[in-house]
Each structure stands twice: as structure tokens, then as C-alpha cells.
Amino acid sequence: MDPLDLLNPRCSICDLKPTVKKVKHYYFDLPKFSDKLYRWIKQSKTLSDNSKNFSLQMIKQGLKARSITRNNKWGVPAPFPDAEDLTIYVWFDAVLGYVSAVMEYFENQDRKDGWMDYWLDENTHIAFFIGKDNIPFHTIIFPSLLMATHDKYTLNFHIGATEWLTFEGQKFSKTKGIGIWGDEAIKLLPGDYWRYTLIYLRPETRDTDFTLSTLEYCVNKELNDDLGNLVHRVLNLIKRYSNGKIEKTKPKTDRQVKLYHMGIQTADKVDKEYMDMRFQRVIYSVMSLVREANAIINHEKPWETWREEPDKVKGLLYILAETLKRISIMLYPIIPESSKKILEYLGLDYREVGWKDIYTPKDVYLIASEFRPIFYKIDKEEIRNKLKEIRGENMEEVDIETFQKLDLRVGTIVKALKKEGSKNLLRLYIDIGDRTVKVLAGLANYYSPQDMIGKKVIVITNLKKKKLMGEYSEGMILAADDGKGNISLLTVDGDIENGSKVR
């Protein structure tokens, strides 16, 4: 449908009727690169199947010239002739930022041409971690811009595109308080707990829901009961039955041989899964090795056999130490702090350990004389309550003098508009008796501008001015939030003069 065919169209941002006007814009001739893009995507050995299929389908449907400029005050000014009022469309300058950021880095290092050693090297591989809706910007727009330079930029692109992640059945929303944000997460739990759970849930093939129940399971069962228990058992066994030192020795049972080779096979598999950006599968693969290591301890029962078969027990302890080393290396990108502790307890310096050490048996392990549990169990309800405290939802008592510092007044909304460039903000002009104040309120998802006009509301008039999207808000209006996505304005019952003080 042509936009001009719409009946009574209204702008979703400012709610005004659009006007038709002729303007000048600059376009990128994307169809010109269709054949090159198709060949590159088809022949690529680094792009994932879902990225390939999605992009090839777009090309088959026919690419169109894309406008690279906008009539917008927000953005980078367009550097073209007669383009004083135009800015660059964000998804053109944003992807070029991948290159310019590396340029800036080397300029700051007084190595102006250093960026070429990476971007113009055919052996350079580049990884992008994006949502599925951003695939075409990285497989169509960005490569075509690089091709247009006629320079030999590397196109070894690895794209880790995910599906959607929701929070306990709802879309993430900071304004509605749905989700947990980075600064809150670190106050609640160690970073490794969040990293592990998010990778465990990573929506690699389908939309996934994050719940505190899943967080509790990942920490309590997988990290604490499985991995943490294995670390504690192995260290205690080496300390008790080998005086904290275990030297390299050959496996003494078929099951020990199986565990040793399973470690190598798991590393080979995990290496490919990392390169394919299948991080969720990394966890599944490594935790299978963890469970097998726990199982062999239960099966061989070294606490019963160490007197009669000491060599067999030493073989087991060495294989277990090697397995712990391998596990910590493989999980290092996901739970780095925990992996450092495991290596430290094994007597290794994490700064000197690398992937190659998975395949290089250690001559001797001298474990730490003291070690503590790596993980601890959590309770989801305690996490939920602590989150409320962080957000101030469990409010502390205040005295009347503190409350009286707020200047609360009755006001009538005389004008309401949607804030340009925002989906959430309304610009409200409120008569509070002696003056009219301008308030920016995040209510556009709950009230239309027309619904707001004429309402008598409660305004906090002595808040410090706050700048939102380049514009100052001169106060705040009161509203009720039930925490479930429902917002309701606090309005005044009856006829009372604007400016009346709320006590």
C-alpha cells in the first residue's frame, strides 16, 4: 500500500496529520551489489546457516536502493552537497563504526595505518553478536559498503544471531520494571552466575524465557551441585590420599581411560561449538564431562580402595585433576572468575594457561593448602525481595519533615503532545496557578495526548530539572503503577483551584 492511500493518517509520535512534501535524499545503489553479495554469502565458510538462508532469501526477493539520509536532527550530519539539513541513517554509519573504531584505536596508539593489519587482512575473522532482526545490516548493508570501496576488506564474518529473550513471560521494559538490569544484577549475585544462566538460556534457535526459577536451577544444580561438588571432591581426595600432590601417571582402569579420552573429545567438540557461536551447546557438552567425572568417583570409591590399590587411586586422582583443568579452560569464556579459582586451587596460574594445555598433560599438580567452595546456593524469593530493596520498592519510613520538602500542587493539563523521536514520552503543559510548567512524562503507551487535556493532576513542582532527549522537564506528575504494566494517573476529585497545595 502507498502511504498516500491511508485514510485519516496520524503520526504515531506527535499524533499530528502528516503533510506531503518533496525533499532531496541520497541513496545507496544496493541492487548493484546483488550478484556479489549472493556469491559471497553462498560461498562463505563462516556465516551460520540461518544467516545465510535469511540473507539469500532477501536477495532473491530483490534488493532496493536504500536512502542513507534522513530529515532528522538526531544523527551524524550528512557530508554531501546541499545536505545541510540531512543526517546519515543510523544503520549506515553504525556498521561503518566497526572500521572507524579500529582506526581510532590505532591513531591513539600513534600507529595510524595499524587498522589495515586487521581489516585488510584476509585471515582476520570478525564476530558479531546481534538479534535476528539485525542480520541484514551485517550480511547485506555492511558488506556492500565495504565492497563499494574496492579495497580488499576481510569478509570472514561470524554472526551469532539470536531469537528473542523474554523475562518471566513478558517483554523487557525498563519503564515498567520488567527485567533485571546490569547494575542491579551485580548487586544481587556474582557475575558468573548470570553469565552461566544467560548462556544456558541463550535463544539460539527459538525464543526463550528467562525466569528466576531457571536462574535458581542453574546456580544450585549445575554450578553448585555438579561442578562445585566435583571441584570440592577432587581437591579433598588429592589432599587426603596424596598429601596435596599428584604426579602424572597412566590411567589404571577402563573407566579412567574413557574419562581421559572423553576430555579430549569434549574439547574438540567445544572448540567447534565456540567457533560456530553455539555457546549454549558448550555448556551441555562440558557439563556432560562434569557429570561423568562425578560418576567415576562414585563408581571407583577411592575412600574404600586406597589402601589395597594405591596405584589405581593415584591414576584416578591424576585423571580427575586433568579433567578439572580441562573443564576450567573450556568454561573460562563463560565463567571466568570461577575458572580462575579452579585453576588456582590446582596450583596453576591462569595467566599462563591456554587452550593448548587441554591437550598437554601436566607433570605434577600441587593443590592449594586451603580452598573454599566455588559456588553457593541461592533462593529465588530472596533474589526477588533483594531486587525490590535495590529499586526502593521496599520503602523505608520517612519523617514528616522530609515529606514536607516536596511541593505538591494541583494543576490542569492545558496542552499535550507526543515528544518528537520518542515512543514513550508525552510533553505536557500544566497550569499550576501562578505559572505553566512543562513536564515530560513516560505515559505515551497508556494515554493519548487528547486523553490528557483537561485532567487535574498532582504535580511535584520543586524537583531539579531533568534533561530528557535534549529537553528539560520542569516537574513530575503522580501516577500509580501496579507492577504488572498498568499505569493510572492520580487525579483530583471535585473542583479546586490550580496551584492548591497537597498536604
Side-chain angles (χ1 to χ4, degrees):
M1 175 183 284
D2 191 295
L4 298 180
D5 294 333
L6 292 173
L7 300 176
N8 191 28
R10 312 292 297 184
C11 175
S12 63
I13 296 175
C14 67
D15 203 44
L16 298 177
K17 183 177 181 179
T19 57
V20 179
K21 56 189 293 189
K22 188 175 182 179
V23 294
K24 181 177 181 179
H25 280 288
Y26 285 80
Y27 282 75
F28 184 74
D29 190 2
L30 202 54
K32 188 175 182 178
F33 296 89
S34 296
D35 292 340
K36 284 186 177 180
L37 288 169
Y38 189 89
R39 287 196 300 272
W40 165 64
I41 294 170
K42 194 77 173 175
Q43 297 169 7
S44 174
K45 296 180 180 179
T46 58
L47 288 176
S48 62
D49 289 339
N50 69 326
S51 296
K52 278 188 173 184
N53 296 335
F54 185 91
S55 306
L56 290 174
Q57 188 61 30
M58 281 189 66
I59 296 173
K60 290 177 181 178
Q61 291 174 355
L63 301 178
K64 298 179 181 180
R66 296 292 295 266
S67 170
I68 62 173
T69 54
R70 292 287 189 272
N71 291 105
N72 197 331
K73 295 179 181 179
W74 299 86
V76 177
F80 312 121
D82 302 322
E84 292 80 7
D85 297 328
L86 301 178
T87 56
I88 299 296
Y89 173 45
V90 64
W91 269 112
F92 278 90
D93 65 22
V95 291
L96 290 176
Y98 292 130
V99 181
S100 62
V102 181
M103 289 180 173
E104 182 181 28
Y105 171 81
F106 282 105
E107 284 181 2
N108 292 336
Q109 303 295 318
D110 293 325
R111 294 174 57 197
K112 187 175 181 180
D113 295 331
W115 69 275
M116 297 180 184
D117 296 337
Y118 291 86
W119 276 104
L120 299 183
D121 185 344
E122 63 180 7
N123 295 315
T124 296
H125 287 250
I126 305 162
F128 303 100
F129 298 92
I130 58 176
K132 60 183 178 181
D133 54 332
N134 288 332
I135 289 176
F137 300 109
H138 293 78
T139 60
I140 302 292
I141 301 285
F142 188 32
S144 63
L145 290 171
L146 297 180
M147 292 174 182
T149 67
H150 301 292
D151 292 323
K152 294 184 178 180
Y153 282 89
T154 179
L155 291 177
N156 294 321
F157 287 7
H158 299 260
I159 296 179
T162 59
E163 304 296 309
W164 304 126
L165 181 69
T166 54
F167 183 83
E168 299 199 319
Q170 301 181 80
K171 291 183 179 180
F172 281 84
S173 172
K174 195 158 190 177
T175 57
K176 297 178 182 178
I178 301 172
I180 298 175
W181 313 108
D183 57 339
E184 298 172 336
I186 294 303
K187 294 176 183 176
L188 292 168
L189 294 171
D192 281 3
Y193 291 17
W194 299 105
R195 294 169 66 102
Y196 185 90
T197 305
L198 286 170
I199 296 299
Y200 177 88
L201 285 170
R202 191 170 187 260
E204 296 179 352
T205 57
R206 57 186 174 83
D207 295 347
T208 308
D209 190 42
F210 181 100
T211 67
L212 292 181
S213 295
T214 307
L215 173 68
E216 186 180 66
Y217 166 81
C218 285
V219 174
N220 294 354
K221 176 64 174 68
E222 302 232 341
L223 290 180
N224 188 79
D225 291 353
D226 292 345
L227 178 55
N229 186 43
L230 175 64
V231 174
H232 187 71
R233 297 175 83 186
V234 172
L235 294 175
N236 273 307
L237 287 171
I238 294 175
K239 185 176 182 179
R240 181 172 182 179
Y241 300 116
S242 194
N243 294 318
K245 177 182 178 180
I246 189 71
E247 296 181 349
K248 182 166 65 174
T249 184
K250 292 182 179 180
K252 300 299 190 294
T253 66
D254 290 343
R255 193 147 185 174
Q256 291 177 18
V257 172
K258 177 186 174 183
L259 180 62
Y260 182 85
H261 289 299
M262 182 180 180
I264 298 295
Q265 293 163 0
T266 301
D268 292 341
K269 185 180 180 183
V270 165
D271 186 25
K272 185 177 186 306
E273 288 167 344
Y274 271 126
M275 291 303 294
D276 291 342
M277 294 187 175
R278 294 297 191 182
F279 307 129
Q280 189 181 57
R281 296 180 185 177
V282 169
I283 283 181
Y284 298 158
S285 298
V286 177
M287 292 310 292
S288 293
L289 181 61
V290 169
R291 284 185 273 273
E292 179 60 27
N294 272 315
I296 195 175
I297 296 174
N298 297 336
H299 178 76
E300 298 202 352
K301 302 177 180 178
W303 51 89
E304 294 181 358
T305 61
W306 70 278
R307 290 186 185 276
E308 292 77 16
E309 302 177 283
D311 288 344
K312 176 183 173 182
V313 171
K314 286 184 178 180
L316 173 64
L317 297 185
Y318 179 76
I319 295 304
L320 288 171
E322 272 291 297
T323 302
L324 268 189
K325 178 192 70 175
R326 291 167 173 170
I327 289 168
S328 63
I329 294 172
M330 287 187 279
L331 287 180
Y332 189 92
I334 298 173
I335 49 172
E337 297 305 317
S338 304
S339 295
K340 288 178 186 178
K341 285 185 181 179
I342 297 173
L343 291 170
E344 177 187 334
Y345 289 162
L346 288 172
L348 303 176
D349 186 343
Y350 75 91
R351 292 166 295 188
E352 298 177 359
V353 175
W355 194 264
K356 67 181 186 304
D357 292 294
I358 290 176
Y359 303 94
T360 307
K362 183 81 174 162
D363 289 331
V364 62
Y365 286 96
L366 290 169
I367 68 168
S369 58
E370 294 184 4
F371 42 84
R372 297 179 179 180
I374 303 289
F375 309 102
Y376 60 85
K377 288 194 173 186
I378 65 171
D379 181 88
K380 63 182 179 182
E381 293 308 320
E382 289 181 5
I383 299 299
R384 203 182 302 277
N385 290 331
K386 190 174 180 181
L387 179 61
K388 290 180 179 179
E389 291 179 7
I390 291 172
R391 292 177 173 175
E393 294 175 15
N394 293 341
M395 303 295 285
E396 64 180 57
E397 290 185 352
V398 297
D399 54 36
I400 189 64
E401 288 78 13
T402 301
F403 173 75
Q404 287 176 340
K405 290 179 180 179
L406 294 175
D407 187 13
L408 301 170
R409 306 249 174 199
V410 174
T412 299
I413 300 174
V414 294
K415 185 178 179 181
L417 299 169
K418 281 195 174 182
K419 164 71 175 166
E420 299 87 348
S422 172
K423 294 182 179 179
N424 303 318
L425 292 176
L426 292 178
R427 184 192 294 111
L428 307 176
Y429 295 90
I430 307 173
D431 177 3
I432 58 170
D434 59 345
R435 68 188 187 279
T436 298
V437 295
K438 178 180 69 176
V439 173
L440 298 177
L443 297 170
N445 293 322
Y446 309 97
Y447 296 91
S448 70
Q450 293 89 339
D451 291 338
M452 298 293 285
I453 295 175
K455 286 187 180 293
K456 276 191 176 292
V457 294
I458 309 299
V459 187
I460 305 177
T461 65
N462 62 337
L463 285 179
K464 289 183 179 179
K465 291 183 180 180
K466 184 175 182 179
K467 200 171 188 178
L468 300 172
M469 296 186 66
E471 187 174 350
Y472 281 104
S473 180
E474 300 171 348
M476 178 185 290
I477 60 175
L478 300 187
D481 182 352
D482 65 1
K484 301 177 182 179
N486 299 310
I487 302 290
S488 180
L489 276 178
L490 296 187
T491 56
V492 178
D493 183 25
D495 188 21
I496 190 169
E497 289 186 3
N498 291 333
S500 297
K501 191 172 178 61
V502 178
R503 303 181 187 277

